Amino acid sequence: MLTIRDIAAKAGVSVSTASRALNNNPRISVATRKRIQALATAEGYRPNYNAKNLTAGEANTVGVVFPTADHTFSENPFYIDLLRGINTELMERQYVLSVAISKTEDELLANVKSMVTQGKIKRFILLYAHRTDPIADFLRQNKLRFVTIGQPVDDPTDLFVDNDNLKAGIGGASYLLDQLAVTHPVFVESAHDWAYEQQRREGYERMTAQFNVEPLTCKLGDLEQARSFITRHPEINGIMATDDFNAIEFYRLIRESSGASHFPIVSFNRSLPVGLTDADLHSVDLYPEKMGAATVTLLFSDRQPLESATPRQITIPYEIK
């Protein structure tokens, strides 16, 4: 493997001069810089970014933190697409990603601490945002740069990437009530009460008020309670859910109860393969690859959120399909 010493020898200069030239140090003349940079390019030299960053006390790695396993599943296609967008942008910067995932917050925090102390990782992406998160607290306390997927709920100075979930909720509910002619909808959400679910529910409630229909809501934490809810509301003829998996699970319970098929549904994430269900499913595409790419852009921007009271964010558009 070609090294900086090889470039220096071929150029007839010291290693320090070659290094400065390749890093555009003004102490080296423009002519010498151009000559050495042209030589390095012709020889196919690639700098050791990891060694360079470690010299500065930072690995060329970004820590990507999943929610704890009781909140979500890492195999969800939405998260896979997020990772794809993150990885593509990191490769452009000669960085790689390292994943932290665990079943409990204590284990997850220990994982992140190890990444910082042993792995010298100083930049993180959290694939979630929720209240009183010990991971975010640790990163803030140690003045480490991080971006969350989803609007932060504890510190308005946190960097974040998100959709306009209120607007998406309004758009999804409007499509269900107007385009799909649903007269008795139900809003289906998880038992975790995520911020994005609250915002989408608010959009749903605004539109049901506008259409003068009852804003039924059901949490999917306990399936027996969900079955009981369906029994009490046989009039339900359409579903709006916070993601495709919640939508299909509730639809399965509807079919189990009444045998209804081709049920109109509006949900989010476009996580399911076409043809997997016989429901009339319309999923809101949140463009997770774009979200993932945007987190890296924000992570490596020059902004200093710890010195400002203004939220720093990138908002990704959505599309109902």
Side-chain angles (χ1 to χ4, degrees):
M1 179 178 178
L2 201 67
T3 69
I4 187 70
R5 292 183 182 277
D6 298 322
I7 296 300
K10 289 177 181 292
V13 299
S14 68
V15 172
S16 61
T17 296
S19 177
R20 291 190 181 103
L22 292 174
N23 286 285
N24 279 317
N25 190 310
R27 292 175 60 184
I28 307 301
S29 70
V30 173
T32 300
R33 275 185 272 164
K34 286 184 176 180
R35 180 172 68 86
I36 294 175
Q37 288 170 5
L39 174 63
T41 299
E43 294 290 333
Y45 170 72
R46 294 180 66 84
N48 187 335
Y49 289 96
N50 191 43
K52 181 179 176 181
N53 282 3
L54 285 175
T55 300
E58 177 184 355
N60 66 326
T61 305
V62 168
V64 178
V65 185
F66 276 84
T68 50
D70 62 327
H71 284 158
T72 190
F73 299 97
S74 58
E75 64 269 20
N76 187 322
F78 179 79
Y79 290 97
I80 294 172
D81 286 340
L82 278 176
L83 288 179
R84 186 178 291 113
I86 291 168
N87 190 59
T88 298
E89 285 298 312
L90 288 180
M91 289 175 63
E92 293 291 324
R93 292 168 169 80
Q94 307 296 332
Y95 271 68
V96 296
L97 64 83
S98 179
V99 170
I101 186 168
S102 185
K103 292 182 179 180
T104 69
E105 286 186 339
D106 288 343
E107 291 177 352
L108 193 61
L109 179 58
N111 193 344
V112 170
K113 286 182 176 179
S114 177
M115 294 168 84
V116 173
T117 58
Q118 298 180 37
K120 305 300 181 184
I121 298 175
K122 294 189 175 181
R123 299 173 192 261
F124 287 84
I125 295 170
L126 309 187
L127 301 184
Y128 64 91
H130 62 74
R131 195 173 303 280
T132 62
D133 176 35
I135 311 300
D137 286 344
F138 169 77
L139 297 176
R140 291 190 203 102
Q141 290 166 10
N142 288 274
K143 300 189 184 317
L144 297 171
R145 196 170 182 83
F146 69 96
V147 179
T148 65
I149 298 288
Q151 187 170 346
V153 291
D154 286 333
D155 192 329
T157 66
D158 288 347
L159 296 171
F160 71 96
V161 173
D162 203 359
N163 306 100
D164 186 335
N165 286 294
L166 174 59
K167 185 176 180 180
I170 291 172
S174 176
Y175 192 88
L176 185 72
L177 297 170
D178 186 19
Q179 299 298 314
L180 301 180
V182 169
T183 55
H184 295 91
V186 59
F187 184 84
V188 180
E189 58 189 350
S190 76
H192 303 297
D193 208 25
W194 294 98
Y196 69 85
E197 292 186 306
Q198 296 173 26
Q199 294 158 3
R200 291 172 191 171
R201 187 195 324 127
E202 181 181 347
Y204 161 80
E205 289 172 348
R206 288 190 187 185
M207 291 311 300
T208 53
Q210 184 172 320
F211 278 76
N212 196 31
V213 300
E214 184 181 2
L216 292 177
T217 299
C218 181
K219 291 185 182 295
L220 270 182
D222 185 311
L223 293 185
E224 287 308 314
Q225 289 183 3
R227 289 188 176 96
S228 176
F229 178 91
I230 290 170
T231 300
R232 296 195 309 272
H233 296 283
E235 74 277 13
I236 292 172
N237 63 353
I239 300 168
M240 178 172 170
T242 53
D243 66 41
D244 293 338
F245 289 96
N246 286 337
I248 295 306
E249 179 64 9
F250 193 84
Y251 174 61
R252 182 184 69 80
L253 296 177
I254 287 276
R255 291 204 63 180
E256 177 186 284
S257 172
S258 66
S261 61
H262 203 64
F263 217 67
I265 299 174
V266 171
S267 59
F268 293 79
N269 295 350
R270 286 183 60 81
S271 302
L272 301 175
V274 174
L276 184 63
T277 175
D278 65 352
D280 183 14
L281 178 65
H282 302 265
S283 191
V284 180
D285 194 341
L286 302 176
Y287 297 106
E289 277 197 57
K290 291 183 180 179
M291 294 181 76
T295 61
V296 177
T297 298
L298 207 50
L299 189 66
F300 284 87
S301 69
D302 294 330
R303 295 172 177 172
Q304 297 298 324
L306 295 174
E307 300 173 3
S308 170
T310 304
R312 309 289 185 160
Q313 70 178 90
I314 296 177
T315 303
I316 306 298
Y318 69 91
E319 183 179 1
I320 302 174
K321 296 181 178 180

